[in-house]
Amino acid sequence: MQKYQIAKQLEEDSKHMDLTTCTKILIMVRGKAQMRRIENDTSRQVTFSKRQNGLLKKAFELSVLCDAEVALIIFSPRGKLFEFASSSMQQTIERYRRHTKDNKTNKPIEQNMQHLKAESANMLKTVEDLEVSRRYWSFYKIQPLTKIYIGVKI
């Protein structure tokens, strides 16, 4: 009865509102479903079945419309397997494994490269400082100590 009254009120009010406002009101009326486990076994099974079919349909549509390689694996609460693959499931899983393996091995390499770049920048700075020092010493014709004498006091 309450939905009927809301719909009747919307019908009367919509004569004075634009389409965007009416849409916002309809969305507000519907409300949001809470995401929590369905306690009733029968309702849970029906919901699983409907959502599983919807998910399989969306996976198929994505593969056809966007020419994407899609693989979907679903295990029911009772352990039954449902799967969809736009090409070979095994090939898609192998591709996934190679991709994740590459990402794991690339991370340390990238971190090492950043470390080496920072270290080479520091070394370049040290070389520049040494060049400035060498020019200073040669300008005053003073020879820096180039040999270290062990056990000899200078």
Side-chain angles (χ1 to χ4, degrees):
M1 188 66 172
Q2 186 180 5
K3 288 182 183 179
Y4 176 76
Q5 291 172 345
I6 292 172
K8 189 86 167 155
Q9 183 65 37
L10 279 174
E11 186 180 319
E12 291 173 17
D13 292 344
S14 65
K15 295 174 186 172
H16 307 290
M17 288 187 240
D18 63 337
L19 185 60
T20 307
T21 308
C22 290
T23 306
K24 286 179 185 175
I25 291 172
L26 283 174
I27 290 171
M28 288 171 42
V29 169
R30 184 167 185 186
K32 217 178 192 185
Q34 291 182 351
M35 295 303 292
R36 60 186 170 145
R37 184 174 186 270
I38 300 170
E39 296 301 325
N40 185 317
D41 290 341
T42 307
S43 297
R44 186 171 52 249
Q45 182 57 40
V46 168
T47 301
F48 174 80
S49 179
K50 287 181 179 179
R51 288 182 177 251
Q52 173 222 347
N53 288 333
L55 192 56
L56 289 168
K57 182 179 176 184
K58 290 291 182 186
F60 172 74
E61 290 172 356
L62 182 65
S63 70
V64 171
L65 295 174
C66 302
D67 197 27
E69 186 175 351
V70 178
L72 175 66
I73 301 171
I74 303 171
F75 285 100
S76 73
R78 294 187 180 135
K80 187 175 178 185
L81 170 68
F82 300 93
E83 64 181 60
F84 167 80
S86 57
S87 59
S88 167
M89 177 67 80
Q90 198 62 35
Q91 287 176 351
T92 305
I93 290 172
E94 287 302 319
R95 183 177 176 190
Y96 169 77
R97 285 185 179 152
R98 281 192 311 272
H99 182 75
T100 55
K101 180 181 162 188
D102 288 346
N103 283 347
K104 286 178 184 175
T105 56
N106 284 345
K107 232 177 198 180
I109 291 172
E110 289 173 11
Q111 290 172 346
N112 191 28
M113 286 294 291
Q114 289 175 351
H115 172 71
L116 290 174
K117 284 180 182 178
E119 191 174 329
S120 66
N122 288 338
M123 292 175 108
L124 187 61
K125 176 79 170 112
T126 303
V127 168
E128 289 172 356
D129 291 344
L130 287 171
E131 281 293 320
V132 169
S133 176
R134 187 188 61 77
R135 278 189 243 123
Y136 172 80
W137 289 108
S138 65
F139 178 75
Y140 290 105
K141 298 188 191 232
I142 300 172
Q143 294 297 319
L145 294 175
T146 56
K147 295 181 181 178
I148 299 175
Y149 295 97
I150 301 174
V152 178
K153 292 184 181 179
I154 300 177

